[in-house]
Amino acid sequence: MYKFFTFIHLPLYTIILSLLFSQYQTITFWILDLLLIIHAILHLFFEKHPRNGFKNTFSRTIIYPMGILTAIHFVLLQY
């Protein structure tokens, strides 16, 4: 399941990368940072939900570090 879920995100990554190299770079960073921070927090809140299918090492090594790194990036964007 998680491999399929990861695969369907590839078009989304392509769109995001193209926006990061456009005139909308700053606003794209803001939005992306906020979404990734919220995403990590939601995963943390639903960690113990019985139907959570993302309680494996693969998911955790992607979701939580990205939340932490984007929080740092978001703070640094303010300066």
Side-chain angles (χ1 to χ4, degrees), residues 48-60:
K48 295 184 181 187
H49 192 278
R51 296 189 67 190
N52 181 358
F54 299 98
K55 292 190 279 189
N56 55 56
T57 304
F58 178 79
S59 296
R60 288 179 178 144

Side-chain angles (χ1 to χ4, degrees), residues 8-21:
I8 63 173
H9 279 72
L10 291 177
L12 180 62
Y13 298 148
T14 304
I15 293 168
I16 291 169
L17 282 174
S18 67
L19 287 171
L20 288 175
F21 294 101

